[in-house]
Each structure stands twice: as structure tokens, then as C-alpha cells.
Amino acid sequence: MSVPTNFGEIFHLVFSKPHAENKNKTYSSYSSVLSTTTFGDSPTLDHYVKEGREYMKDSSFEGAIKAKNSFEKALSIQPDHGEPLLFHAITRFAPLLDVDTNYTPGLPIENLNELMDLYGVDKQGRDITDWLADYKRDDEMNVTVPDTSPLFSEIQNYIQSVWISEIDAALNDLSSINDDFNLFIKKEEISDDCEEDIEIDYGEVLLIKSALQLFKTACYMVISYDMDVNLKEVLDKMYADIINVNIDLLNKYHSLFMLIANGDHIGVDARTAFINAIDLYFESSAFIRSESDDQKSYKR
């Protein structure tokens, strides 16, 4: 199974309903070949949405970041419009995965590029869709990390301040979309071998929100436990086959794998996010099953 490398293919994998008209809904559709979208009397909004969707055809993170900027401009004109809200919620994660982003050296960790530099990951081959980069290795090909590699708590701070904040912002975007939302992705926007347009409506919006809440749950679980160790020291002892779990880990790091100071509060947040994910999934399922339009699986 091939890995999707552009946002069009991702849409195909996530949203699997062919175009079927439902006269009870107001549709919005766009294709650079077949049609254009107009929103009231605001051609500028139309321009930014079309521009963003053109950028989304690009398989690079640069294209996704440009698309995000276009949708932000569209939302500055009409903050409650469903189409740019949906696309902005999706593309806003692209900068977080960009491995070429600049940063100011020093803690706290600002982005993925800085995180990999701090742990000595090769700069060459950092391509999310075709990863070839490796850690630094010693003469015996064992993975090594710099003496200055940060503690795991710094990664936890990064996850909380950057990723969870971005998830919340995306959820806020999606929560502003009304339940009469409906949109079609033209097959020309997805890939050359697509046979049908893809419909996205409020059911899929709820499904995306459910997935984001589940992702948020996982992030909370990662940041709630103490996992601070001297990674270089642990690796060196492992390679020398002299590590003793009791002496080198449990006795030395007394709070290892225990809840951090505010871990109980984070646990409550994780539980809330997980319950939200379940509720949104069932809400999405109920909405999709109640629809009267064609719900057949998308065929390639």
C-alpha cells in the first residue's frame, strides 16, 4: 500500500463518498478545470480559497504551508465560512511537520527541525514522505546522541506548547462549521486515476474532530509521566552490556514512569479528550447514517 504524498490523496483516503446530489443541502464545489466557487459578493474570498486549493495539489509541505496562508487570508475576510475553516484546520499542521523551518537555538524546543538537530539526526534525508535520515552512529554502528541532547521533559513541553495548542486551534476551526456544511472535492484535485468527486459534509467534519481528540488524548498520555533520563549514558551502558535496570534507572531516577507534578490534572484532560473522541465518533456515525444521499464507498 502506497503512502499518500499530497493532500488530494489524503482526502481520498479519509472521505469516501461519491458525488450524489441532495436537494436539501447547499453545495460548494471547486475545480480549476470545471467550475469555480463564488461566495456572495466577495471575489477576494473566492480568490484565496481557490488559490489555497491549488496549492493543496502540491505534494510538498511548502505547498501545504502556502495553502494554509491562503485560507487564513480567506478567513480574515469571512471568519465563519465553512470551506476555508475546514481546509485551514487540516493545513495548519503542515508547518509543524516541516523539517526545514528556522529556529532560535536554545530551549524551549520550537519545532521538529530543532528537535532533530538536538538529537543529532542527519540533516540529509529529512523527508516525511521518504525518510532517509539516520542518527549519528559510532564505529560499531550504534546510535549515539550528543552530550547536550535534552531531557524528555523538554520534548513534553514542546508537545504541550506546540502540538496540543495546534490541535485545540484546529478543533476551534472545525467547531465553527455549521451542520448544513457540504463540499465537493473534484476528482481532478485528487489524482489522475480518481473516478468520482468526493463529498465532504458535516459527518466528516465530526469524524475529523474525533480523530483530533484521539490524537490529543495520546499527546496528554505522553506528557503526563516522568521519563527524564540521561539518554547518552543509558545508551552507552546498553551497548557495553553493563546496564542494570535497578541501579542505573529505578534507583537513580526515583520518579521514572511516575506521574509528573500535575500529571493527575493532565490525566483528567486526557480522559476528557478520549470521551470527546468517542462521543464525536458516534455523533458522526449517526449523522452519516441519517443522510439520504448516496453513501456508497468510493471506487478507484
Side-chain angles (χ1 to χ4, degrees):
M1 179 179 179
S2 61
V3 176
T5 57
N6 59 53
F7 280 91
E9 292 180 358
I10 292 173
F11 271 118
H12 163 251
L13 292 174
V14 176
F15 308 115
S16 57
K17 293 188 296 182
H19 182 146
E21 184 177 3
N22 184 337
K23 295 182 179 180
N24 295 323
K25 298 179 180 178
T26 301
Y27 294 107
S28 172
S29 62
Y30 161 72
S31 167
S32 60
V33 178
L34 299 180
S35 64
T36 59
T37 308
T38 56
F39 307 115
D41 298 321
S42 179
T44 305
L45 174 65
D46 176 55
H47 165 77
Y48 286 133
V49 172
K50 289 192 292 183
E51 179 182 69
R53 291 180 68 162
E54 283 292 329
Y55 284 137
M56 287 177 69
K57 297 179 183 179
D58 193 336
S59 61
S60 69
F61 281 102
E62 180 183 1
I65 293 170
K66 288 180 179 179
K68 170 183 174 289
N69 294 335
S70 295
F71 297 131
E72 284 179 351
K73 292 175 182 177
L75 290 172
S76 70
I77 298 170
Q78 189 173 343
D80 61 347
H81 197 285
E83 187 170 356
L85 280 169
L86 172 68
F87 290 131
H88 186 249
I90 295 170
T91 56
R92 70 184 309 138
F93 292 99
L96 275 61
L97 296 171
D98 185 5
V99 293
D100 294 319
T101 308
N102 294 327
Y103 61 86
T104 302
L107 300 175
I109 299 170
E110 295 180 15
N111 53 46
L112 187 60
N113 190 33
E114 181 178 16
L115 177 62
M116 289 188 292
D117 283 347
L118 288 170
Y119 281 95
V121 178
D122 293 337
K123 287 187 174 294
Q124 300 299 319
R126 293 182 185 179
D127 184 344
I128 298 296
T129 60
D130 185 23
W131 192 267
L132 298 174
D134 193 9
Y135 286 96
K136 302 297 182 185
R137 295 181 180 272
D138 60 21
D139 294 338
E140 297 181 357
M141 297 304 294
N142 294 319
V143 172
T144 64
V145 295
D147 294 335
T148 55
S149 59
L151 294 173
F152 193 75
S153 55
E154 294 298 336
I155 299 178
Q156 292 173 316
N157 291 336
Y158 164 66
I159 292 172
Q160 184 165 24
S161 63
V162 176
W163 279 93
I164 292 180
S165 296
E166 205 65 44
I167 292 170
D168 284 337
L171 286 167
N172 185 63
D173 282 344
L174 297 173
S175 294
S176 300
I177 298 177
N178 297 325
D179 60 5
D180 61 350
F181 174 78
N182 205 278
L183 169 72
F184 284 99
I185 308 295
K186 292 291 185 179
K187 59 185 179 182
E188 293 84 1
E189 295 182 75
I190 303 171
S191 66
D192 294 336
D193 59 345
C194 282
E195 300 175 357
E196 302 281 353
D197 301 338
I198 298 297
E199 178 192 4
I200 305 173
D201 60 23
Y202 191 64
E204 281 73 37
V205 172
L206 292 171
L207 196 59
I208 298 173
K209 290 175 67 176
S210 175
L212 287 174
Q213 289 284 3
L214 196 59
F215 183 28
K216 187 177 177 181
T217 302
C219 289
Y220 276 134
M221 295 299 293
V222 170
I223 69 173
S224 61
Y225 292 93
D226 187 332
M227 289 182 272
D228 277 348
V229 298
N230 185 320
L231 184 58
K232 179 175 175 53
E233 180 182 279
V234 170
L235 288 175
D236 288 345
K237 289 190 175 184
M238 285 178 57
Y239 298 144
D241 200 23
I242 59 173
I243 191 167
N244 183 296
V245 173
N246 288 328
I247 296 174
D248 298 316
L249 291 177
L250 300 181
N251 291 347
K252 186 171 184 178
Y253 304 102
H254 300 290
S255 59
L256 186 63
F257 302 130
M258 297 178 65
L259 287 173
I260 60 176
N262 61 335
D264 52 344
H265 297 293
I266 296 175
V268 172
D269 291 336
R271 181 177 182 274
T272 300
F274 185 64
I275 292 173
N276 288 340
I278 295 173
D279 289 344
L280 285 163
Y281 174 80
F282 282 115
E283 187 179 352
S284 170
S285 176
F287 186 93
I288 293 172
R289 285 186 284 108
S290 69
E291 293 182 274
S292 59
D293 56 336
D294 190 353
Q295 302 293 308
K296 293 184 299 181
S297 297
Y298 177 86
K299 296 181 180 179
R300 291 178 68 90

